[in-house]
Amino acid sequence: MATIISNIEVSPSVYVIKVAGQWAGAMGQFYMIRHRATQGIAITDPLLSRPLSIHDQGDDYIAFLYRVTGRGTALLASLSVGQELQLSGPFGNGFPVVDPSESVALVGGGMGVAPLLLAAKHYRQADIYVGFNHHSFAVESFEQILQDSQQIHITQGQHTNIVDIVDPRLYSVIMACGPAGMLQALATKIKSLHARTLLYISTEKRMACGIGACLTCSIQTVNGNARVCKEGPVFTAEEVNWNDLSHM
Amino acid sequence: MATIISNIEVSPSVYVIKVAGQWAGAMGQFYMIRHRATQGIAITDPLLSRPLSIHDQGDDYIAFLYRVTGRGTALLASLSVGQELQLSGPFGNGFPVVDPSESVALVGGGMGVAPLLLAAKHYRQADIYVGFNHHSFAVESFEQILQDSQQIHITQGQHTNIVDIVDPRLYSVIMACGPAGMLQALATKIKSLHARTLLYISTEKRMACGIGACLTCSIQTVNGNARVCKEGPVFTAEEVNWNDLSHM
Amino acid sequence: MTSLICNLAGVALRNPIIMASGTFGFGREYGELYDLSILGGIASKGLTLHPRSGNTGCRVQETPSGMMNSVGLENPGITSFLENELDHMVASGAVVIANLGGAHLEEYVTGAAQISESCDLRQRQGQKAVDLLELNISCPNVKEGGIQFGVDTEVARQIVREVRQVTRIPLIVKLSPNAQDIVAMAYMCEQEGADAVSLVNTFSAMKIDIAQRRSAFQNTYAGLSGPAIKPIALRMVHQVSQALSIPVIGMGGISSVEDMIEYIMAGAEAVQIGTYNFVNLHAGEELVSGLTAWMEKEKVQSLDEIRGIV
Amino acid sequence: MTSLICNLAGVALRNPIIMASGTFGFGREYGELYDLSILGGIASKGLTLHPRSGNTGCRVQETPSGMMNSVGLENPGITSFLENELDHMVASGAVVIANLGGAHLEEYVTGAAQISESCDLRQRQGQKAVDLLELNISCPNVKEGGIQFGVDTEVARQIVREVRQVTRIPLIVKLSPNAQDIVAMAYMCEQEGADAVSLVNTFSAMKIDIAQRRSAFQNTYAGLSGPAIKPIALRMVHQVSQALSIPVIGMGGISSVEDMIEYIMAGAEAVQIGTYNFVNLHAGEELVSGLTAWMEKEKVQSLDEIRGIV
Ligand SMILES: Cc1cc2nc3c(=O)[nH]c(=O)nc-3n(C[C@H](O)[C@H](O)[C@H](O)COP(=O)(O)OP(=O)(O)OC[C@H]3O[C@@H](n4cnc5c(N)ncnc54)[C@H](O)[C@@H]3O)c2cc1C
Ligand SMILES: Cc1cc2nc3c(=O)[nH]c(=O)nc-3n(C[C@H](O)[C@H](O)[C@H](O)COP(=O)(O)OP(=O)(O)OC[C@H]3O[C@@H](n4cnc5c(N)ncnc54)[C@H](O)[C@@H]3O)c2cc1C
Ligand SMILES: Cc1cc2nc3c(=O)[nH]c(=O)nc-3n(C[C@H](O)[C@H](O)[C@H](O)COP(=O)(O)O)c2cc1C
Ligand SMILES: Cc1cc2nc3c(=O)[nH]c(=O)nc-3n(C[C@H](O)[C@H](O)[C@H](O)COP(=O)(O)O)c2cc1C
Ligand code: FES
Ligand code: FES
């Protein structure tokens, strides 16, 4: 159990929740989060934990950036400071640590920005591209850690697309997170420009256990099935089956 | 939905919860209470509402005195000021309004004191007998409304029994609430002393609807089945079947 | 204009929302809370030929997202229903469904005949009567040692056949999810002339009071209802809808507009609301207005557009 | 001294707590979280003769107090299990149960024979092997158009009989709650020489994605598990325990020590924990220590004192 330090709406229906404690985890990894009303009272609805990427970490806290999309996240948003959460993790492979000589871009669409903050803290030189359909969020957090304000590029509104403003030829490695359609568009752009960029994508799939035991999060890859929670959530664009990724 | 004004532990595992609003209800009636985490999020566990007697009422609040005995009451105890509850009521018949010339006693055992406060507010001249196995609670609330401190009699501890200190011959009407065993002991005492006291008891039975539609709270009476939530919870000792009352 | 009207064996319902038997009494109590005429229909508490006082001991237990009940068909009997409750139900303005139980074959048949004759008489006198008869075949057969009638298709066939013969009131047969083969059971009802089937009744289930080291219910088993059962009930409604040409009334755990839509998309002509009436005393009115709102938002003009689409 | 030891067909388990097939992989992942040797047993992910990649599309949906899965028996196949997983499972120290599935009769029989031969060989070489074989008869029979083997007693009889002939490994038959008559099914298993039965597997259930107007699962139906089903599963375990003389392993929704006690009081020799492993990744260790604590508090020295007491 972990105590909530803050739970703030940073944009309509988008929250940052901070939980006390020293929590392990690397960029691109996630936690399984469950709301138990009170220690010792077993509440069976909602039943399953929800996967949320690590958004930020400090010596005495961990933070998640989440959007209210259903019952679990709505419940999460209803919690106040001092209440408790069940956190398990960190799980998943996370984003790769590449050689400092590589030129890296981080590309996020919507909630896809969540895991990129930790990546930006690691890749301080990386260019950052973030796109929002409606309101933006988390942008200041990126700005605070960047060495140069020129590093961050933002699109906003339904008629612009973050992929349009990324020139993959400038980067040897791109790490991206966002809707499956956006990720595929980025992969297609790399291909059509004959760029030699290596694209890593963070994928999503419904999960039950989060640790690799239940096989409910399997996706098809060129090497056979892979578990998003264990071999993923980060895969290279080359290995995934885009059709399969569009199913939740 | 109703907002919680306060929720205070007044004795180990015993709480008084105050809810804002002008709520109807008479002595001995009850409300069905359900904890919905947040407006609009349907949580199906726990599913059913819990019946709680009206403990106290004011112009802008209603109060319930409850003991944590299971999941529903534990959840209730975990709620904080500002959170919301679903309240439906008032339900049930409540304690009778008898002629001011009658000499009335109110007898409560343990949580059975809960509905008696409102009755004491009505019967200002009544003698009050309250017994507790362990810690006492709510006693000051009674003291505050009494005209004479001699009116209240208390027993405390597992070796004393509130029934022992009630002399039913002094009263033409007794209204009592508490464990079935205690109520039956009181009825037996009245009989064995050949007292002509009319004994009203407030009964408990598991409920689903609280309004008389589901028949899960039926008990046997001399007039056939009766619904604790509708014809009750207050019955005369004469009409109930003690055997049946001991089943929850 | 969106229309919610639905049709069960020639009986038009204002909307497909029916209050389930045993969860709505005869409508009196809920009628104090809201106007019942907005409902599609009301199924009466299960009736038996003679009054029954029901089961002793504990009658209800909460389970994870569900509840178990062992009311044991407490009811005033058919005669009292006809005399004291029917007028009131008719006056509610909703379609009136009489739910009929029984402990043996003759009880069902005699009960159906009594309701039927009394209703014929009322109609000759120009009074409205029972619109639909819902035959609850889940009752334990006391003559056969308590086995449920609704488990074995051939045992149930006899009841459906004989009841069908004694009444012209449109007949719904209410199926038990404990049936060995619910599709065969439903198909039998269609063959025997039922006008519709409704499903599901409660699931046979158990809860043990570990402190007392005995079943929480005196009858050992009791009936499970509520959201917990919805996924299983929905599957059954889907299977039965695929196999039948008469209308199917779906129920089991419905607690939201979305739940109703699932049942309708699975093929249900109408739905029944049971346990949710306890969780939300205003369930009926909220679901009726919620369904209208949903249809307007989704630009669905008639439920026929989505019925059985899955 | 309280003793939790329990006995399944001559195999002694440290305690009656077994991790259910498909919810614990081959133990590797949970083995990183706690010491598996404290467990009574571990049932492997369902194995088939050949590797299977499982179902496409959505594989899990949450339901009220439950979940539905449509993993579709994704597994590495028996050969890979024997080569890559069995040693690791044996090393865990818990009793090893191989769970066997199949899409048609021959697949079951060939699979059972392969496991059996390989285990005989291991034993001749002094290596520990599979302790118990758990035959999952709930798989859809692809040759018969997808009907579940475990629904009809006589269809299932053939599998149990033929598998029994090819293996001397103690045989548990895992029953489907979708069986037409679960008591008859269980009794058949006893007649055909099964050493134990386990129940229940998941309930056939449905969830409709109303926005997409189609089933949430590509296979239309999927399997319901978790606390929602516990009351029904417990009733089935009670019924089967009353009818059989071989041990019964109970499961379905167990999420607490009290739930385990209910199953044991209903007659179960051992219990399996499925979905709760997902809800609480430390379920296994917490339930083992919780059961010991409960027995001490209640002064129950052996579970035999309470087994089948209801
Ligand atoms: C590895 C990973 C990391 C994620 N990181 C974040 C993050 O940092 N911020 C954020 O806002 N969201 C993130 N998501 C998505 C997030 O898990 C879902 O939005 C959330 O589970 C929805 O829960 P709900 O109860 O509100 O929705 P409901 O629709 O009520 O949930 C029902 C069930 O479906 C599952 N589900 C629904 N949508 C998703 C989804 N998109 N992905 C996975 N499961 C889903 C739920 O977990 C639950 O089991 C991540 C998903 C994955 C797989
Ligand atoms: C008319 C009436 C008035 C009551 N007034 C009060 C009061 O003022 N203060 C107070 O502390 N308690 C009162 N009770 C008892 C109170 O309703 C239960 O203690 C409470 O429902 C327990 O809920 P739980 O979830 O904590 O327990 P659990 O055991 O987890 O509840 C499981 C189910 O059993 C029911 N249940 C369990 N115990 C009782 C019980 N004693 N009576 C009725 N249902 C029960 C619950 O409502 C629930 O449906 C009253 C009961 C009735 C019938
Ligand atoms: C307390 C209670 C009493 C019931 N009594 C009857 C009955 O008399 N006749 C009947 O056919 N069904 C009866 N039912 C079953 C319901 O009508 C309905 O089929 C079942 O509860 C499933 O729907 P639900 O999950 O929406 O409650 C009863 C259900 C409950 C909960
Ligand atoms: C994700 C998942 C996968 C499962 N896979 C199998 C399987 O391969 N073989 C099997 O016999 N049972 C399988 N089951 C059924 C469980 O072993 C168990 O019988 C069922 O889930 C009921 O128990 P529970 O309610 O504790 O989960 C699976 C269950 C789940 C949830
Ligand atoms: S969520 Fe269980 S294997 Fe990935
Ligand atoms: S609780 Fe439903 S009739 Fe009393």
Side-chain angles (χ1 to χ4, degrees), chain D residues 73-265:
Chain D
L73 279 185
E74 173 174 343
N75 81 93
I78 288 171
T79 307
S80 166
F81 163 73
L82 293 168
E83 282 172 15
N84 306 320
E85 306 291 350
L86 181 53
D87 281 335
H88 174 265
M89 283 187 79
V90 162
S92 76
V95 160
V96 175
I97 303 175
N99 179 286
L100 178 68
H104 47 80
L105 178 63
E106 304 84 80
E107 192 182 352
Y108 276 107
V109 178
T110 317
Q114 187 185 345
I115 293 174
S116 203
E117 281 155 28
S118 159
C119 288
D120 282 353
L121 185 65
R122 286 178 71 106
Q123 278 169 335
R124 282 198 298 276
Q125 295 169 343
Q127 282 179 287
K128 289 196 62 187
V130 166
D131 295 299
L132 294 150
L133 189 65
E134 183 175 53
L135 191 67
N136 168 16
I137 56 170
S138 316
C139 305
N141 178 351
V142 296
K143 289 205 174 165
E144 302 280 343
I147 318 159
Q148 287 187 1
F149 280 113
V151 170
D152 182 296
T153 307
E154 293 314 311
V155 171
R157 183 188 299 276
Q158 223 189 332
I159 303 180
V160 177
R161 181 174 292 173
E162 300 207 13
V163 165
R164 177 72 293 181
Q165 277 161 10
V166 298
T167 182
R168 284 178 310 183
I169 305 176
L171 183 65
I172 305 166
V173 182
K174 182 163 177 181
L175 307 179
S176 165
N178 308 312
Q180 297 194 331
D181 184 340
I182 197 146
V183 173
M185 183 69 82
Y187 186 67
M188 173 281 287
C189 296
E190 176 168 322
Q191 283 183 317
E192 296 298 338
D195 297 291
V197 296
S198 59
L199 67 158
V200 299
N201 212 314
T202 56
F203 284 77
S204 175
M206 187 175 197
K207 169 135 183 170
I208 291 176
D209 179 336
I210 63 174
Q212 308 277 335
R213 301 186 177 190
R214 55 170 174 69
S215 171
F217 294 98
Q218 289 189 355
N219 269 358
T220 313
Y221 305 144
L224 181 67
S225 63
I229 67 169
K230 203 205 80 183
I232 315 178
L234 182 67
R235 182 262 300 172
M236 291 178 169
V237 167
H238 185 254
Q239 286 180 310
V240 166
S241 298
Q242 308 258 303
L244 261 57
S245 32
I246 55 175
V248 173
I249 303 168
M251 78 191 93
I254 293 176
S255 310
S256 66
V257 172
E258 289 72 23
D259 290 343
M260 295 194 291
I261 302 296
E262 281 194 75
Y263 275 94
I264 292 165
M265 287 188 174

Side-chain angles (χ1 to χ4, degrees), chain B residues 50-61:
Chain B
R50 269 56 176 166
L52 290 182
S53 306
I54 307 171
H55 178 55
D56 201 3
Q57 261 169 329
D59 285 344
D60 52 0
Y61 74 90

Side-chain angles (χ1 to χ4, degrees), chain C residues 65 204 208 221 231 235 238 262, chain D residues 65 204 208 221 235 238 262:
Chain C
S65 297
S204 176
I208 291 176
Y221 305 144
R235 182 263 298 172
H238 185 253
E262 281 193 76
Chain D
S65 298
S204 175
I208 291 176
Y221 305 144
R235 182 262 300 172
H238 185 254
E262 281 194 75

Side-chain angles (χ1 to χ4, degrees), chain C residues 20-22 45-46 69 73 99 136 174 200-201 225-226 251-253 274-275:
Chain C
S21 176
K45 173 65 200 164
N69 89 80
L73 279 185
N99 180 285
N136 169 15
K174 183 162 176 183
V200 299
N201 212 313
S225 63
M251 79 192 90
T275 302

